[in-house]
Amino acid sequence: MAVEDLWRLFDIIGTLAFAVSGALVGISRRMDIFGISVLALATAVGGGMVRDVLVGITPPMTLRDTTNFLLSAGTALVISLLYQWTALHHMRRQRLLTIFNVSDTIGLAAFTITGALTGVRFGGNDSYVLPILLAATTAVGGGMIRDVLAQRMPVVLYAEVYAAASLVGAFVFCTLRFTLGVEADSWLAFVLVLMIRFAAIRWNWSLYHPRPPKRHRDEDVKE
């Protein structure tokens, strides 16, 4: 598969997955169809637009091709209709959270690859920094915009291993792309990000959280 086709495939996967997660957040915030669509669109294209600006692609590709806009808006409409007219609205919060986590993780993994591929294109074959940073920016940027618009603490700042999964996947991509070839390497990195993120959710993995010593916490409680 040509690199351009591979990039487009992961871009579509990421757009659909992140549009679902954005729409679910909008529904959870009791937004109307416009607000739900805005969150779906911001989640799906926000990180990619930031990535494009960073490498000098102006206007960003999303503004020159309506495909991602249509996919995001269509996804928001479908999720909204499913929520109203199917058993989706009867699901317990935990099940809806599971759907959100699955879609958000798929988007994270897919956009890690599109960002890394873009970084290789503009940074050269010997560059690690640009592909890794663009991968993380593309993967978490849209979700951060979504959460800010929804007045939530961005998931990337507190959740189980999140951006770190993208960074690991991008590093593996950069390390093995000459050995495995771009296509095989891309799928390997994609699956790796999925596995790390799902494992983090399942077993509550998290990065280091600085906390005061226990004796200080006990003193705070007494006060």
Side-chain angles (χ1 to χ4, degrees):
M1 182 182 292
V3 175
E4 294 79 8
D5 295 333
L6 187 66
W7 185 95
R8 191 58 182 159
L9 174 60
F10 281 111
D11 189 54
I12 292 173
I13 293 172
T15 298
L16 290 173
F18 266 161
V20 170
S21 73
L24 289 174
V25 171
I27 290 172
S28 72
R29 291 298 190 182
R30 306 292 185 187
M31 295 182 178
D32 60 18
I33 188 61
F34 179 78
I36 294 170
S37 299
V38 168
L39 283 195
L41 183 62
T43 313
V45 307
M49 292 180 70
V50 174
R51 174 202 64 216
D52 289 351
V53 171
L54 289 175
V55 296
I57 302 176
T58 54
M61 288 181 283
T62 298
L63 299 182
R64 292 181 284 170
D65 184 350
T66 60
T67 302
N68 287 350
F69 277 98
L70 294 176
L71 286 175
S72 301
T75 300
L77 178 60
V78 169
I79 294 298
S80 299
L81 292 175
L82 288 175
Y83 183 79
Q84 181 171 355
W85 298 110
T86 69
L88 194 62
H89 66 279
H90 289 304
M91 284 186 179
R92 293 182 178 180
R93 184 177 180 275
Q94 188 60 39
R95 290 188 178 180
L96 288 174
L97 180 61
T98 298
I99 296 174
F100 168 82
N101 282 331
V102 170
S103 61
D104 197 56
T105 299
I106 293 173
L108 180 79
F111 279 160
T112 293
I113 305 306
T114 62
L117 288 171
T118 303
V120 170
R121 175 188 172 191
F122 285 90
N125 289 329
D126 297 328
S127 174
Y128 273 55
V129 175
L130 188 61
I132 291 174
L133 292 183
L134 288 186
T137 298
T138 311
V140 308
M144 293 187 71
I145 296 171
R146 172 200 66 209
D147 291 341
V148 169
L149 291 175
Q151 296 184 329
R152 308 193 323 170
M153 172 74 77
V155 174
V156 65
L157 300 181
Y158 71 90
E160 305 89 348
V161 175
Y162 191 83
S166 176
L167 292 171
V168 171
F171 178 79
V172 169
F173 173 88
C174 291
T175 302
L176 299 179
R177 69 179 185 271
F178 294 118
T179 304
L180 300 179
V182 174
E183 184 175 354
D185 189 29
S186 296
W187 286 109
L188 174 64
F190 174 78
V191 172
L192 180 61
V193 176
L194 290 179
M195 292 175 61
I196 293 173
R197 178 64 182 142
F198 283 138
I201 295 172
R202 174 65 178 82
W203 289 291
N204 295 316
W205 294 349
S206 61
L207 300 179
Y208 167 65
H209 285 252
R211 293 184 176 89
K214 185 177 184 301
R215 62 185 180 85
H216 290 296
R217 295 202 299 271
D218 294 338
E219 291 172 0
D220 291 341
V221 171
K222 292 178 182 179
E223 291 176 0

